[in-house]
Amino acid sequence: MSSPAKTQLTKYIVTTERCGDLHVHVQGDLNQQGKKAVFLTVHDLGCNHASFHDFVNHPCMCEIKERSLFIHIDVPGHEDNAPNLPDSFQFPTLQTLGEDLVTVLDFLHVKYVIGLGEGAGANVLARFGIANPSRVLGLILINCTGSAASVLENFKNKFVNWKGSGSVSQSAEEYLIFHKFGHQIVNDANSDKEKVMQEFQERIRSTINNKNLKLYVNAFLNRKDLPLKQCKTDILLITGVLSSYANVVEKLHRDLEKTKATLLKIERAGDVLLQAPEKVAHSILLFCKGQGLLTSLTLPGVERQRTFSSSSGDGDGRPRLSRGMSMEEYDKPNIRRLSITINSDHVPNKHN
């Protein structure tokens, strides 16, 4: 199946106090933000805004995309074919990146967002949510790490050396591939996996500036503990069972209040955005409904009978759902009480 054409992106360069110029890509119409859900995305290591742009353009995200606005962030020096960052530039910590993201919202005149981040980007958005609770309606964090880098990660870091500015060493590539795809690289012999990893390798060798990428990797490996207990908003943690960070995400969930945090584990997946986009889209919609957003959309895979009452319009001539027939009135999800494991062959099971 061929992928759908990408929607138009509007590019902005936003100057921040401590992170320098951030390249921001807006997917959707900013003038419609009052009528739509607004997502703020930050990417993982080895990629840039294109990873979330591609995900949003997947067919499973079509209806959510039509009713939402996405603000994609490139961390410093990660725009396509970016030049080397100046030697005088101090690459920001994950904490500084998170704190400075509010400048982007102010620049675009956006009041509230749902944070959507992956890996290192999830850590950044979590710090943004803690620092700016009045600007965040919820956090969707994929493979988010709550603790500082482990001894094992620091040991690996000793071998992550870029040789020159034009190539990535084999050890660095191996680290990034394991970070991205986790245990799937040894547990799964699927030929599609090989193709996906090859595409990832080609991207970090070409489009992404390797010198700048090393700075982001080092910022991630030198991260401090994430005080996510201080976050005042609802949180959805997503991981793949085959992810290298599955156990870390589970530990993070155990340390959080169950009234605020939900854990979603997707079976037979390491990179959930690429390998299980339908499951991720389903969980995003479920989470947003729990926040009172995207309530007009039906849940994928759930058949809902809709009848319209011609006698009760919205005042503009359009019929609306009869209250007696809207099942969303009866089963509106309370995502904060759910802990979910998704099997790729079944609809999610819900456990209290």
mmCIF file of all heavy atoms in Angstrom, residues 30 33 37-41 71 98-116 125-139 231-234 293:
data_model
loop_
_atom_site.group_PDB
_atom_site.id
_atom_site.type_symbol
_atom_site.label_atom_id
_atom_site.label_comp_id
_atom_site.label_asym_id
_atom_site.label_seq_id
_atom_site.Cartn_x
_atom_site.Cartn_y
_atom_site.Cartn_z
ATOM 1 N N LEU A 30 -3.445 27.156 11.836
ATOM 2 C CA LEU A 30 -3.388 27.784 13.156
ATOM 3 C C LEU A 30 -4.633 28.607 13.463
ATOM 4 O O LEU A 30 -5.021 28.746 14.626
ATOM 5 C CB LEU A 30 -2.146 28.672 13.257
ATOM 6 C CG LEU A 30 -0.827 28.006 13.625
ATOM 7 C CD1 LEU A 30 0.321 28.985 13.481
ATOM 8 C CD2 LEU A 30 -0.873 27.451 15.038
ATOM 9 N N GLN A 33 -7.309 26.756 15.529
ATOM 10 C CA GLN A 33 -6.901 26.073 16.753
ATOM 11 C C GLN A 33 -7.977 26.075 17.829
ATOM 12 O O GLN A 33 -8.053 25.148 18.649
ATOM 13 C CB GLN A 33 -5.621 26.677 17.303
ATOM 14 C CG GLN A 33 -5.747 28.134 17.724
ATOM 15 C CD GLN A 33 -4.495 28.633 18.400
ATOM 16 O OE1 GLN A 33 -4.205 28.276 19.543
ATOM 17 N NE2 GLN A 33 -3.732 29.452 17.705
ATOM 18 N N ALA A 37 -8.147 19.974 18.414
ATOM 19 C CA ALA A 37 -7.143 19.538 19.380
ATOM 20 C C ALA A 37 -5.769 19.943 18.853
ATOM 21 O O ALA A 37 -5.492 19.806 17.661
ATOM 22 C CB ALA A 37 -7.214 18.027 19.578
ATOM 23 N N VAL A 38 -4.917 20.449 19.719
ATOM 24 C CA VAL A 38 -3.589 20.905 19.315
ATOM 25 C C VAL A 38 -2.543 20.016 19.990
ATOM 26 O O VAL A 38 -2.513 19.890 21.212
ATOM 27 C CB VAL A 38 -3.349 22.379 19.695
ATOM 28 C CG1 VAL A 38 -1.981 22.834 19.181
ATOM 29 C CG2 VAL A 38 -4.450 23.266 19.135
ATOM 30 N N PHE A 39 -1.689 19.400 19.157
ATOM 31 C CA PHE A 39 -0.633 18.518 19.651
ATOM 32 C C PHE A 39 0.722 19.187 19.447
ATOM 33 O O PHE A 39 0.966 19.804 18.415
ATOM 34 C CB PHE A 39 -0.636 17.185 18.902
ATOM 35 C CG PHE A 39 -1.853 16.334 19.150
ATOM 36 C CD1 PHE A 39 -3.008 16.513 18.403
ATOM 37 C CD2 PHE A 39 -1.833 15.340 20.123
ATOM 38 C CE1 PHE A 39 -4.137 15.730 18.616
ATOM 39 C CE2 PHE A 39 -2.952 14.545 20.346
ATOM 40 C CZ PHE A 39 -4.108 14.740 19.596
ATOM 41 N N LEU A 40 1.599 19.017 20.439
ATOM 42 C CA LEU A 40 2.984 19.469 20.332
ATOM 43 C C LEU A 40 3.863 18.233 20.343
ATOM 44 O O LEU A 40 3.806 17.435 21.276
ATOM 45 C CB LEU A 40 3.338 20.380 21.518
ATOM 46 C CG LEU A 40 4.765 20.917 21.577
ATOM 47 C CD1 LEU A 40 5.026 21.896 20.435
ATOM 48 C CD2 LEU A 40 5.034 21.590 22.922
ATOM 49 N N THR A 41 4.662 18.029 19.285
ATOM 50 C CA THR A 41 5.470 16.816 19.180
ATOM 51 C C THR A 41 6.965 17.125 19.247
ATOM 52 O O THR A 41 7.420 18.148 18.742
ATOM 53 C CB THR A 41 5.183 16.043 17.870
ATOM 54 O OG1 THR A 41 5.848 16.690 16.767
ATOM 55 C CG2 THR A 41 3.683 15.964 17.583
ATOM 56 N N ILE A 71 1.985 20.633 15.973
ATOM 57 C CA ILE A 71 3.155 21.512 15.979
ATOM 58 C C ILE A 71 4.371 20.622 16.209
ATOM 59 O O ILE A 71 4.576 20.090 17.306
ATOM 60 C CB ILE A 71 3.046 22.580 17.077
ATOM 61 C CG1 ILE A 71 1.781 23.423 16.881
ATOM 62 C CG2 ILE A 71 4.289 23.468 17.082
ATOM 63 C CD1 ILE A 71 1.466 24.332 18.061
ATOM 64 N N GLY A 98 12.930 21.362 27.361
ATOM 65 C CA GLY A 98 11.549 21.310 27.800
ATOM 66 C C GLY A 98 11.046 22.655 28.280
ATOM 67 O O GLY A 98 9.931 23.084 27.935
ATOM 68 N N GLU A 99 11.845 23.337 29.044
ATOM 69 C CA GLU A 99 11.428 24.628 29.591
ATOM 70 C C GLU A 99 11.269 25.682 28.505
ATOM 71 O O GLU A 99 10.389 26.546 28.580
ATOM 72 C CB GLU A 99 12.434 25.095 30.640
ATOM 73 C CG GLU A 99 12.434 24.242 31.905
ATOM 74 C CD GLU A 99 13.545 24.633 32.876
ATOM 75 O OE1 GLU A 99 14.349 25.522 32.520
ATOM 76 O OE2 GLU A 99 13.596 24.047 33.975
ATOM 77 N N ASP A 100 12.108 25.630 27.462
ATOM 78 C CA ASP A 100 12.067 26.664 26.419
ATOM 79 C C ASP A 100 10.961 26.447 25.388
ATOM 80 O O ASP A 100 10.688 27.334 24.578
ATOM 81 C CB ASP A 100 13.423 26.735 25.701
ATOM 82 C CG ASP A 100 14.349 27.785 26.324
ATOM 83 O OD1 ASP A 100 14.063 28.215 27.459
ATOM 84 O OD2 ASP A 100 15.350 28.162 25.686
ATOM 85 N N LEU A 101 10.308 25.278 25.392
ATOM 86 C CA LEU A 101 9.253 25.034 24.408
ATOM 87 C C LEU A 101 8.068 25.979 24.565
ATOM 88 O O LEU A 101 7.328 26.204 23.606
ATOM 89 C CB LEU A 101 8.759 23.583 24.504
ATOM 90 C CG LEU A 101 9.697 22.507 23.964
ATOM 91 C CD1 LEU A 101 9.065 21.128 24.118
ATOM 92 C CD2 LEU A 101 10.053 22.771 22.498
ATOM 93 N N VAL A 102 7.896 26.545 25.745
ATOM 94 C CA VAL A 102 6.786 27.480 25.935
ATOM 95 C C VAL A 102 6.939 28.697 25.026
ATOM 96 O O VAL A 102 5.945 29.327 24.635
ATOM 97 C CB VAL A 102 6.684 27.901 27.419
ATOM 98 C CG1 VAL A 102 7.851 28.794 27.829
ATOM 99 C CG2 VAL A 102 5.344 28.558 27.701
ATOM 100 N N THR A 103 8.183 29.009 24.660
ATOM 101 C CA THR A 103 8.427 30.134 23.743
ATOM 102 C C THR A 103 7.769 29.880 22.394
ATOM 103 O O THR A 103 7.262 30.818 21.754
ATOM 104 C CB THR A 103 9.941 30.350 23.548
ATOM 105 O OG1 THR A 103 10.560 30.507 24.815
ATOM 106 C CG2 THR A 103 10.218 31.586 22.691
ATOM 107 N N VAL A 104 7.763 28.632 21.946
ATOM 108 C CA VAL A 104 7.125 28.278 20.678
ATOM 109 C C VAL A 104 5.621 28.518 20.761
ATOM 110 O O VAL A 104 5.013 29.089 19.845
ATOM 111 C CB VAL A 104 7.413 26.811 20.310
ATOM 112 C CG1 VAL A 104 6.636 26.396 19.066
ATOM 113 C CG2 VAL A 104 8.909 26.596 20.102
ATOM 114 N N LEU A 105 4.997 28.104 21.863
ATOM 115 C CA LEU A 105 3.551 28.318 22.015
ATOM 116 C C LEU A 105 3.228 29.804 22.045
ATOM 117 O O LEU A 105 2.244 30.245 21.436
ATOM 118 C CB LEU A 105 3.042 27.642 23.292
ATOM 119 C CG LEU A 105 3.227 26.142 23.425
ATOM 120 C CD1 LEU A 105 2.379 25.598 24.574
ATOM 121 C CD2 LEU A 105 2.881 25.413 22.141
ATOM 122 N N ASP A 106 4.037 30.571 22.753
ATOM 123 C CA ASP A 106 3.799 32.015 22.808
ATOM 124 C C ASP A 106 3.957 32.638 21.428
ATOM 125 O O ASP A 106 3.162 33.511 21.029
ATOM 126 C CB ASP A 106 4.764 32.670 23.800
ATOM 127 C CG ASP A 106 4.484 32.266 25.239
ATOM 128 O OD1 ASP A 106 3.349 31.802 25.517
ATOM 129 O OD2 ASP A 106 5.388 32.405 26.083
ATOM 130 N N PHE A 107 4.963 32.212 20.696
ATOM 131 C CA PHE A 107 5.202 32.748 19.354
ATOM 132 C C PHE A 107 4.024 32.468 18.423
ATOM 133 O O PHE A 107 3.636 33.326 17.621
ATOM 134 C CB PHE A 107 6.488 32.137 18.789
ATOM 135 C CG PHE A 107 6.844 32.600 17.408
ATOM 136 C CD1 PHE A 107 7.593 33.749 17.206
ATOM 137 C CD2 PHE A 107 6.425 31.885 16.281
ATOM 138 C CE1 PHE A 107 7.930 34.177 15.923
ATOM 139 C CE2 PHE A 107 6.746 32.311 14.998
ATOM 140 C CZ PHE A 107 7.500 33.461 14.815
ATOM 141 N N LEU A 108 3.458 31.280 18.522
ATOM 142 C CA LEU A 108 2.349 30.880 17.649
ATOM 143 C C LEU A 108 0.981 31.252 18.229
ATOM 144 O O LEU A 108 -0.042 30.984 17.600
ATOM 145 C CB LEU A 108 2.395 29.364 17.412
ATOM 146 C CG LEU A 108 3.650 28.824 16.715
ATOM 147 C CD1 LEU A 108 3.605 27.301 16.648
ATOM 148 C CD2 LEU A 108 3.793 29.408 15.310
ATOM 149 N N HIS A 109 0.976 31.859 19.420
ATOM 150 C CA HIS A 109 -0.264 32.245 20.105
ATOM 151 C C HIS A 109 -1.165 31.038 20.358
ATOM 152 O O HIS A 109 -2.376 31.062 20.130
ATOM 153 C CB HIS A 109 -1.024 33.312 19.299
ATOM 154 C CG HIS A 109 -0.197 34.527 18.999
ATOM 155 N ND1 HIS A 109 0.196 35.424 19.962
ATOM 156 C CD2 HIS A 109 0.337 34.983 17.826
ATOM 157 C CE1 HIS A 109 0.929 36.384 19.409
ATOM 158 N NE2 HIS A 109 1.037 36.136 18.118
ATOM 159 N N VAL A 110 -0.543 29.968 20.824
ATOM 160 C CA VAL A 110 -1.276 28.747 21.170
ATOM 161 C C VAL A 110 -1.366 28.651 22.692
ATOM 162 O O VAL A 110 -0.353 28.755 23.386
ATOM 163 C CB VAL A 110 -0.559 27.499 20.601
ATOM 164 C CG1 VAL A 110 -1.196 26.219 21.134
ATOM 165 C CG2 VAL A 110 -0.602 27.519 19.076
ATOM 166 N N LYS A 111 -2.578 28.439 23.203
ATOM 167 C CA LYS A 111 -2.778 28.435 24.655
ATOM 168 C C LYS A 111 -2.499 27.084 25.292
ATOM 169 O O LYS A 111 -1.809 26.987 26.305
ATOM 170 C CB LYS A 111 -4.214 28.866 24.979
ATOM 171 C CG LYS A 111 -4.508 30.322 24.650
ATOM 172 C CD LYS A 111 -5.927 30.679 25.066
ATOM 173 C CE LYS A 111 -6.234 32.143 24.778
ATOM 174 N NZ LYS A 111 -7.621 32.496 25.175
ATOM 175 N N TYR A 112 -3.077 26.019 24.704
ATOM 176 C CA TYR A 112 -2.985 24.701 25.332
ATOM 177 C C TYR A 112 -2.621 23.651 24.299
ATOM 178 O O TYR A 112 -3.022 23.741 23.141
ATOM 179 C CB TYR A 112 -4.327 24.306 25.971
ATOM 180 C CG TYR A 112 -5.014 25.390 26.740
ATOM 181 C CD1 TYR A 112 -6.147 26.020 26.231
ATOM 182 C CD2 TYR A 112 -4.539 25.796 27.990
ATOM 183 C CE1 TYR A 112 -6.787 27.023 26.934
ATOM 184 C CE2 TYR A 112 -5.169 26.794 28.699
ATOM 185 C CZ TYR A 112 -6.293 27.406 28.166
ATOM 186 O OH TYR A 112 -6.914 28.399 28.868
ATOM 187 N N VAL A 113 -1.902 22.616 24.748
ATOM 188 C CA VAL A 113 -1.529 21.536 23.843
ATOM 189 C C VAL A 113 -1.627 20.188 24.553
ATOM 190 O O VAL A 113 -1.619 20.099 25.779
ATOM 191 C CB VAL A 113 -0.083 21.701 23.308
ATOM 192 C CG1 VAL A 113 0.054 22.943 22.457
ATOM 193 C CG2 VAL A 113 0.924 21.693 24.460
ATOM 194 N N ILE A 114 -1.726 19.142 23.732
ATOM 195 C CA ILE A 114 -1.466 17.779 24.185
ATOM 196 C C ILE A 114 -0.040 17.457 23.764
ATOM 197 O O ILE A 114 0.317 17.585 22.594
ATOM 198 C CB ILE A 114 -2.429 16.776 23.524
ATOM 199 C CG1 ILE A 114 -3.863 17.012 23.981
ATOM 200 C CG2 ILE A 114 -1.983 15.336 23.822
ATOM 201 C CD1 ILE A 114 -4.220 16.433 25.311
ATOM 202 N N GLY A 115 0.811 17.076 24.695
ATOM 203 C CA GLY A 115 2.186 16.725 24.356
ATOM 204 C C GLY A 115 2.255 15.314 23.796
ATOM 205 O O GLY A 115 1.648 14.394 24.346
ATOM 206 N N LEU A 116 2.979 15.139 22.701
ATOM 207 C CA LEU A 116 3.146 13.832 22.069
ATOM 208 C C LEU A 116 4.619 13.671 21.717
ATOM 209 O O LEU A 116 5.125 14.314 20.797
ATOM 210 C CB LEU A 116 2.273 13.734 20.809
ATOM 211 C CG LEU A 116 2.409 12.479 19.942
ATOM 212 C CD1 LEU A 116 2.093 11.222 20.745
ATOM 213 C CD2 LEU A 116 1.503 12.579 18.702
ATOM 214 N N LEU A 125 9.263 16.561 26.516
ATOM 215 C CA LEU A 125 7.886 17.039 26.674
ATOM 216 C C LEU A 125 7.387 16.852 28.102
ATOM 217 O O LEU A 125 6.594 17.662 28.601
ATOM 218 C CB LEU A 125 6.963 16.313 25.697
ATOM 219 C CG LEU A 125 6.916 16.929 24.299
ATOM 220 C CD1 LEU A 125 6.111 16.054 23.344
ATOM 221 C CD2 LEU A 125 6.317 18.342 24.345
ATOM 222 N N ALA A 126 7.827 15.791 28.771
ATOM 223 C CA ALA A 126 7.450 15.611 30.166
ATOM 224 C C ALA A 126 7.972 16.777 31.011
ATOM 225 O O ALA A 126 7.266 17.303 31.877
ATOM 226 C CB ALA A 126 7.993 14.284 30.692
ATOM 227 N N ARG A 127 9.194 17.199 30.740
ATOM 228 C CA ARG A 127 9.772 18.324 31.472
ATOM 229 C C ARG A 127 9.038 19.628 31.133
ATOM 230 O O ARG A 127 8.864 20.492 32.001
ATOM 231 C CB ARG A 127 11.270 18.431 31.167
ATOM 232 C CG ARG A 127 12.052 17.214 31.662
ATOM 233 C CD ARG A 127 13.513 17.230 31.248
ATOM 234 N NE ARG A 127 14.151 15.945 31.496
ATOM 235 C CZ ARG A 127 14.653 15.558 32.676
ATOM 236 N NH1 ARG A 127 14.630 16.405 33.691
ATOM 237 N NH2 ARG A 127 15.207 14.362 32.814
ATOM 238 N N PHE A 128 8.606 19.749 29.880
ATOM 239 C CA PHE A 128 7.790 20.902 29.490
ATOM 240 C C PHE A 128 6.482 20.917 30.277
ATOM 241 O O PHE A 128 6.052 21.962 30.785
ATOM 242 C CB PHE A 128 7.494 20.845 27.985
ATOM 243 C CG PHE A 128 6.384 21.757 27.544
ATOM 244 C CD1 PHE A 128 6.574 23.124 27.478
ATOM 245 C CD2 PHE A 128 5.150 21.231 27.200
ATOM 246 C CE1 PHE A 128 5.542 23.966 27.077
ATOM 247 C CE2 PHE A 128 4.115 22.064 26.788
ATOM 248 C CZ PHE A 128 4.316 23.436 26.738
ATOM 249 N N GLY A 129 5.834 19.743 30.399
ATOM 250 C CA GLY A 129 4.572 19.663 31.121
ATOM 251 C C GLY A 129 4.713 19.997 32.591
ATOM 252 O O GLY A 129 3.834 20.641 33.182
ATOM 253 N N ILE A 130 5.809 19.563 33.202
ATOM 254 C CA ILE A 130 6.047 19.866 34.612
ATOM 255 C C ILE A 130 6.289 21.358 34.811
ATOM 256 O O ILE A 130 5.793 21.965 35.768
ATOM 257 C CB ILE A 130 7.246 19.049 35.132
ATOM 258 C CG1 ILE A 130 6.916 17.553 35.097
ATOM 259 C CG2 ILE A 130 7.631 19.481 36.544
ATOM 260 C CD1 ILE A 130 8.119 16.656 35.310
ATOM 261 N N ALA A 131 7.045 21.955 33.901
ATOM 262 C CA ALA A 131 7.404 23.373 34.023
ATOM 263 C C ALA A 131 6.250 24.306 33.667
ATOM 264 O O ALA A 131 6.194 25.435 34.160
ATOM 265 C CB ALA A 131 8.615 23.683 33.140
ATOM 266 N N ASN A 132 5.329 23.827 32.810
ATOM 267 C CA ASN A 132 4.247 24.691 32.319
ATOM 268 C C ASN A 132 2.896 23.986 32.420
ATOM 269 O O ASN A 132 2.241 23.722 31.405
ATOM 270 C CB ASN A 132 4.521 25.097 30.863
ATOM 271 C CG ASN A 132 5.821 25.853 30.694
ATOM 272 O OD1 ASN A 132 5.909 27.055 30.939
ATOM 273 N ND2 ASN A 132 6.857 25.127 30.281
ATOM 274 N N PRO A 133 2.452 23.669 33.636
ATOM 275 C CA PRO A 133 1.216 22.894 33.794
ATOM 276 C C PRO A 133 -0.026 23.584 33.240
ATOM 277 O O PRO A 133 -0.974 22.902 32.833
ATOM 278 C CB PRO A 133 1.113 22.705 35.310
ATOM 279 C CG PRO A 133 1.940 23.815 35.902
ATOM 280 C CD PRO A 133 3.054 24.026 34.935
ATOM 281 N N SER A 134 -0.021 24.907 33.186
ATOM 282 C CA SER A 134 -1.202 25.627 32.702
ATOM 283 C C SER A 134 -1.328 25.592 31.180
ATOM 284 O O SER A 134 -2.346 26.013 30.634
ATOM 285 C CB SER A 134 -1.165 27.080 33.171
ATOM 286 O OG SER A 134 -0.059 27.766 32.592
ATOM 287 N N ARG A 135 -0.303 25.082 30.492
ATOM 288 C CA ARG A 135 -0.327 25.066 29.021
ATOM 289 C C ARG A 135 -0.535 23.654 28.460
ATOM 290 O O ARG A 135 -0.539 23.479 27.241
ATOM 291 C CB ARG A 135 0.988 25.633 28.457
ATOM 292 C CG ARG A 135 1.401 26.971 29.031
ATOM 293 C CD ARG A 135 0.410 28.081 28.710
ATOM 294 N NE ARG A 135 0.417 28.434 27.307
ATOM 295 C CZ ARG A 135 1.234 29.356 26.769
ATOM 296 N NH1 ARG A 135 2.113 29.972 27.530
ATOM 297 N NH2 ARG A 135 1.149 29.648 25.486
ATOM 298 N N VAL A 136 -0.660 22.661 29.341
ATOM 299 C CA VAL A 136 -0.714 21.266 28.900
ATOM 300 C C VAL A 136 -2.021 20.621 29.340
ATOM 301 O O VAL A 136 -2.367 20.632 30.516
ATOM 302 C CB VAL A 136 0.481 20.463 29.477
ATOM 303 C CG1 VAL A 136 0.441 19.027 28.982
ATOM 304 C CG2 VAL A 136 1.797 21.112 29.083
ATOM 305 N N LEU A 137 -2.740 20.041 28.382
ATOM 306 C CA LEU A 137 -3.980 19.339 28.676
ATOM 307 C C LEU A 137 -3.747 17.860 28.948
ATOM 308 O O LEU A 137 -4.598 17.190 29.541
ATOM 309 C CB LEU A 137 -4.955 19.490 27.502
ATOM 310 C CG LEU A 137 -5.388 20.920 27.170
ATOM 311 C CD1 LEU A 137 -6.271 20.935 25.939
ATOM 312 C CD2 LEU A 137 -6.098 21.554 28.357
ATOM 313 N N GLY A 138 -2.623 17.326 28.510
ATOM 314 C CA GLY A 138 -2.291 15.913 28.716
ATOM 315 C C GLY A 138 -0.974 15.598 28.046
ATOM 316 O O GLY A 138 -0.497 16.360 27.185
ATOM 317 N N LEU A 139 -0.367 14.474 28.439
ATOM 318 C CA LEU A 139 0.913 14.050 27.880
ATOM 319 C C LEU A 139 0.805 12.617 27.377
ATOM 320 O O LEU A 139 0.371 11.725 28.119
ATOM 321 C CB LEU A 139 2.024 14.136 28.929
ATOM 322 C CG LEU A 139 2.463 15.528 29.397
ATOM 323 C CD1 LEU A 139 3.427 15.405 30.571
ATOM 324 C CD2 LEU A 139 3.113 16.311 28.262
ATOM 325 N N CYS A 231 4.021 16.171 37.855
ATOM 326 C CA CYS A 231 3.168 16.578 36.733
ATOM 327 C C CYS A 231 1.710 16.575 37.174
ATOM 328 O O CYS A 231 1.225 15.622 37.788
ATOM 329 C CB CYS A 231 3.372 15.633 35.550
ATOM 330 S SG CYS A 231 2.598 16.214 34.038
ATOM 331 N N LYS A 232 0.988 17.629 36.828
ATOM 332 C CA LYS A 232 -0.386 17.794 37.288
ATOM 333 C C LYS A 232 -1.420 17.314 36.275
ATOM 334 O O LYS A 232 -2.614 17.329 36.554
ATOM 335 C CB LYS A 232 -0.638 19.272 37.625
ATOM 336 C CG LYS A 232 0.302 19.821 38.696
ATOM 337 C CD LYS A 232 -0.031 21.256 39.024
ATOM 338 C CE LYS A 232 0.973 21.842 40.010
ATOM 339 N NZ LYS A 232 1.087 21.082 41.254
ATOM 340 N N THR A 233 -0.974 16.903 35.112
ATOM 341 C CA THR A 233 -1.903 16.513 34.059
ATOM 342 C C THR A 233 -1.981 15.002 33.925
ATOM 343 O O THR A 233 -1.185 14.272 34.497
ATOM 344 C CB THR A 233 -1.466 17.126 32.713
ATOM 345 O OG1 THR A 233 -2.469 16.882 31.739
ATOM 346 C CG2 THR A 233 -0.159 16.506 32.244
ATOM 347 N N ASP A 234 -2.960 14.522 33.156
ATOM 348 C CA ASP A 234 -3.065 13.095 32.873
ATOM 349 C C ASP A 234 -1.961 12.676 31.909
ATOM 350 O O ASP A 234 -1.549 13.444 31.034
ATOM 351 C CB ASP A 234 -4.422 12.765 32.252
ATOM 352 C CG ASP A 234 -5.551 12.822 33.272
ATOM 353 O OD1 ASP A 234 -5.250 12.950 34.468
ATOM 354 O OD2 ASP A 234 -6.720 12.753 32.880
ATOM 355 N N LEU A 293 -11.692 15.895 24.466
ATOM 356 C CA LEU A 293 -11.306 16.312 23.122
ATOM 357 C C LEU A 293 -11.689 15.242 22.111
ATOM 358 O O LEU A 293 -11.783 14.059 22.442
ATOM 359 C CB LEU A 293 -9.805 16.568 23.049
ATOM 360 C CG LEU A 293 -9.232 17.626 23.992
ATOM 361 C CD1 LEU A 293 -7.712 17.581 23.975
ATOM 362 C CD2 LEU A 293 -9.725 19.015 23.601
#
